[in-house]
Amino acid sequence: MIATLKTEEASQLQLVEREDIDDEEYLFEAIDKLISAGINAGDVKKLQDAGIYTCNGLMMHTKKNLTGIRGLSEAKVDKICEAAEKIVNYGYITGSDALLRRKSVIRITTGSQALDELLGGGIETSAITEAFGEFRSGKTQLAHTLCVSTQLPANMRGGNGKVAYIDTEGTFRPDRIIPIAERFGMDPGAVLDNIVYARAYTYEHQYNLLLGLAAKMSEEPFRLLIVDSVIALFRVDFTGRGELAERQQKLAQMLSRLTKIAEEFNVAVYMTNQVIADPGGGVFISDPKKPAGGHVLAHAATIRLMFRKGKGEQRVCKVFDAPNLPEAEAISLHYYYF
């Protein structure tokens, strides 16, 4: 059951079904539309079996990848791509049209007014937000809060949608969701039902879980994808400098998939990242650290947030990199406020 909120006589916020609210305009075109454009239904089924459920997603694949799908020849792929191009405009648009498209971006509240102000309103959809920092710096706490705030209606600065959570470190705690939901005045059981969760154990498993999300997101309105953390399994499955090049290549493919999901379904991607020691950090910086993943991960993230511990339960968040936010601004947060 998809969540929005409804105020009843008892002044309690209750979840109601999606059908009770106005249908939103979807930004993607279902892959089934290819059938009416003259594409064989069997070929469309092959695309779906390969994890492609929208025409938008189809246009994000190279012809080389598409011909790798069993049963699709080069001639068929050319015909499919030609039909998809007529349904989805992936050519040039004006700056005014680009501005109009940006209006579909939703900013999901983090539960902290100070952090929302820092982010210009909250976590953006159609973008990847990376949070890096050492352990117990607040990254996963924020992920749990976003699981709840994403289900709030738009008039309460939520996303009015479901959440997908891929856990690579075993840190997801459903019991933590309950007090957060109660804080927002929501039904904890309904909130938990609107979170789809998967535990990943290898980088290949992690990537396959992303492929499987396309089917769910094409059928139900998701607004958030959490990957906690994006780098952990790569650091385990690839060891030594001899495997570094392969690791970065596989990581790039994973991040490319995350970018496509964010833009194809207008969802916010929130991924956490670990830190590594930075020997070149300088003698004037105590305990210098930098985010793991190198330049591949740095270029993939739209917004990069650095979390660090402050005094006691205080946590500090700094915008490390963002295309439309000031870089050096930092604020203090309470660890458990999320």
Side-chain angles (χ1 to χ4, degrees):
M1 183 173 79
I2 290 297
T4 185
L5 295 171
K6 182 179 180 181
T7 307
E8 299 192 337
E9 293 179 2
S11 298
Q12 257 190 337
L13 292 171
Q14 299 291 336
L15 290 166
V16 295
E17 292 190 7
R18 181 78 177 193
E19 289 74 12
D20 294 341
I21 61 174
D22 294 334
D23 290 330
E24 64 180 14
E25 181 182 355
Y26 286 103
L27 299 175
F28 57 83
E29 301 289 348
I31 200 73
D32 293 338
K33 287 195 173 183
L34 288 175
I35 298 175
S36 59
I39 303 301
N40 184 278
D43 292 334
V44 172
K45 179 66 167 60
K46 291 170 186 174
L47 292 172
Q48 292 175 326
D49 291 341
I52 303 171
Y53 285 82
T54 71
C55 293
N56 309 61
L58 174 67
M59 298 304 296
M60 294 177 183
H61 286 75
T62 64
K63 289 186 177 180
K64 179 182 177 182
N65 287 339
L66 294 174
T67 52
I69 298 173
R70 188 174 182 180
L72 294 184
S73 63
E74 284 189 29
K76 283 186 177 181
V77 168
D78 288 339
K79 186 179 178 182
I80 288 170
C81 290
E82 186 179 341
E85 285 173 2
K86 294 178 181 177
I87 297 172
V88 181
N89 177 23
Y90 263 62
Y92 289 105
I93 60 173
T94 65
S96 298
D97 289 336
L99 180 62
L100 195 62
R101 285 187 182 182
R102 284 288 296 171
K103 290 184 178 179
S104 66
V105 171
I106 300 168
R107 287 177 172 82
I108 301 168
T109 179
T110 62
S112 164
Q113 183 178 352
L115 186 52
D116 283 349
E117 290 174 1
L118 182 67
L119 297 175
I123 302 293
E124 280 190 10
T125 58
S126 291
I128 295 179
T129 300
E130 173 202 357
F132 68 89
E134 55 187 333
F135 66 95
R136 207 171 180 270
S137 59
K139 307 183 300 294
T140 300
Q141 287 290 330
L142 178 56
H144 282 69
T145 300
L146 289 171
C147 283
V148 179
S149 64
T150 298
Q151 301 182 44
L152 290 168
N155 61 6
M156 293 184 69
R157 297 184 300 130
N160 195 33
K162 286 192 169 187
V163 179
Y165 198 119
I166 296 177
D167 183 3
T168 68
E169 298 182 355
T171 52
F172 178 70
R173 294 293 180 269
D175 48 302
R176 178 76 182 108
I177 298 294
I178 295 172
I180 298 173
E182 291 172 345
R183 172 190 148 203
F184 282 101
M186 302 177 76
D187 176 10
V191 168
L192 285 168
D193 286 341
N194 286 323
I195 301 170
V196 295
Y197 168 83
R199 175 76 162 95
Y201 293 96
T202 68
Y203 82 93
E204 292 172 330
H205 185 198
Q206 184 177 341
Y207 187 77
N208 289 335
L209 287 171
L210 289 177
L211 292 178
L213 272 179
K216 294 181 180 296
M217 290 187 173
S218 64
E219 296 172 356
E220 301 174 87
F222 280 78
R223 277 293 169 262
L224 177 67
L225 166 60
I226 294 172
V227 183
D228 184 20
S229 73
V230 70
I231 197 70
L233 298 177
F234 287 89
R235 296 180 75 179
V236 173
D237 296 340
F238 297 92
T239 56
R241 288 189 175 274
E243 295 184 341
L244 182 59
E246 185 184 0
R247 188 195 84 167
Q248 292 302 89
Q249 183 184 39
K250 297 296 184 184
L251 178 61
Q253 292 173 355
M254 177 92 61
L255 294 168
S256 174
R257 185 63 193 151
L258 287 173
T259 301
K260 290 171 182 176
I261 287 174
E263 296 185 9
E264 182 180 353
F265 299 105
N266 191 28
V267 301
V269 174
Y270 174 79
M271 64 181 187
T272 66
N273 190 13
Q274 300 171 347
V275 291
I276 57 176
D278 184 11
V283 294
F284 299 106
I285 303 176
S286 60
D287 194 23
K289 292 181 176 65
K290 63 180 181 180
H295 295 295
V296 168
L297 203 150
H299 289 302
T302 314
I303 299 165
R304 309 191 83 189
L305 304 177
M306 180 175 69
F307 283 79
R308 62 181 175 84
K309 300 172 185 176
K311 295 180 181 178
E313 296 301 332
Q314 290 278 313
R315 294 296 181 267
V316 180
C317 176
K318 175 182 177 182
V319 176
F320 192 76
D321 181 37
N324 59 341
L325 299 171
E327 180 179 335
E329 190 174 351
I331 57 172
S332 293
L333 307 162
H334 193 280
Y335 181 57
Y336 291 106
Y337 183 70
F338 295 131

